[in-house]
Amino acid sequence: MKILSIESSCDETAAAVVENGRKVLSSVVASQVEEHKLYGGVVPEIASRRHAEAISGVVSQTLENADTSLDDIDAIAVTYAPGLIGALLVGVNFAKGLALAKNIPLIPTHHLRSHIASNYIAHPDLKPPFLCLVVSGGHSHIILVEDYTKMKIIGRTRDDAAGEAFDKAARTMGMPYPGGIALDKIAENGNPDAFVLPFPKVSGSPYDFSFSGLKTAVINLIHNASQKGDKLPVEDLSASFRKAVVNCLTTNLMKAADDTQSNTIVIAGGVSANSLLRNSLQKLCDEKNIRLYMPPKELCGDNAAMVGSQGYYEFLAGNTAGQNLNAYATKSIEEG
Ligand code: KG4
Ligand code: ZN
């Protein structure tokens, strides 16, 4: 089965053709990041307009790269939640038009479920059940993935998402948007023990995260130093902050793995590209004989190949929609 998939939830307009959920025939990503950089973050109004301009060309290019035409496509999968509402609506309406014109099924696909599915593309042997850490710009969840379309959240952030904390700390240090990537690179040259940062715990919820205190601690360090006319070493501060965030993520995840007796861990989302997170988890999982699956770096960020993969499993589960499909800024991954 060939699925044409579309993604427009944030600042990437993307399309892909994916066969039977696992084989990517083509994948095109048009990023708006350079434009949003000027404003230090994603401007929703600009994002919607750029999606509207780009989507037709991105889809045509995707079909051409796959050496196929709409006549050979069996279904359309589209990200319908969560994300920026105006941005999502561009993809959803375009997908509806294609499904209507070709009289083929329309498959609404949850963005975070798709992030998890990026691992199905990279790892042909991976199948649920497994324990999953989804860490993106908007979400930080520990999830029991019981089946391709059945998930249970057991841990979540109480305030900022991990990516958001990285971006805000990086911005205070003067790095360009999206700061998480820049901070990760700069941290490689710093001393992770130079600054002692708190380990925020959420009482009574051992798998939940809280990152806003960590972010504020870094911002205060910078402001206090600048009031005295000092400038803190950005490399050391980045390395210490990265270590603190990764420590929270890995500690809660490994506790969840212990408690649920999981022997397979999967990570997904933009922050799963973080080098320290990948290296630390690999070591921890090796020690405990746990299989660890990570998406290759090019599939960590937003793309439509992952939508085509998850869309296939949603289709098998009977999750299709009619022409009254709407987009939603928020929706739990459990609802799908
Ligand atoms: O999943 P994603 O591409 O978009 C959302 O669905 O939110 O995640 C984007 C987030 C941004 O906050 C970005 O700074 C962060 O992922 N990110 C990273 C790294 N690469 C991307 N954070 C830390 N280290 C990285 N290497
Ligand atoms: Zn994403």
Side-chain angles (χ1 to χ4, degrees), residues 123-140:
H123 309 291
D125 61 318
L126 176 64
K127 289 186 180 78
F130 51 76
L131 183 69
C132 187
L133 175 72
V134 182
V135 268
S136 70
H139 298 84
S140 303

Side-chain angles (χ1 to χ4, degrees), residues 168-187:
K168 286 180 180 166
R171 186 153 80 173
T172 314
M173 288 186 242
M175 295 171 206
Y177 173 84
I181 303 162
L183 190 149
D184 189 21
K185 268 199 201 121
I186 289 170

Side-chain angles (χ1 to χ4, degrees), residues 7 9-12 82 111-112 115 134-139 161-168 177-185 242 268-277 297 300-303 306:
E7 155 67 39
S9 67
C10 189
D11 57 351
E12 257 96 35
H111 184 69
L112 296 183
H115 269 300
V134 182
V135 268
S136 70
H139 298 84
E164 192 181 354
F166 271 119
D167 291 345
K168 286 180 180 166
Y177 173 84
I181 303 162
L183 190 149
D184 189 21
K185 268 199 201 121
R242 182 177 71 161
V271 182
S272 65
N274 187 269
S275 344
L276 183 67
L277 176 64
K297 287 203 177 178
C300 289
D302 290 344
N303 64 84
M306 65 188 195

Side-chain angles (χ1 to χ4, degrees), residues 12 18 29 46 77 86 95 99 110 128 131 164 179 183 185-186 198 231 240 263 283 303 315 323 326:
E12 257 96 35
V18 181
V29 180
I46 294 177
H110 190 285
L131 183 69
E164 192 181 354
L183 190 149
K185 268 199 201 121
I186 289 170
K231 203 170 175 300
S240 304
N263 57 15
K283 273 193 208 118
N303 64 84
F315 179 80
Q323 284 291 319
N326 209 338

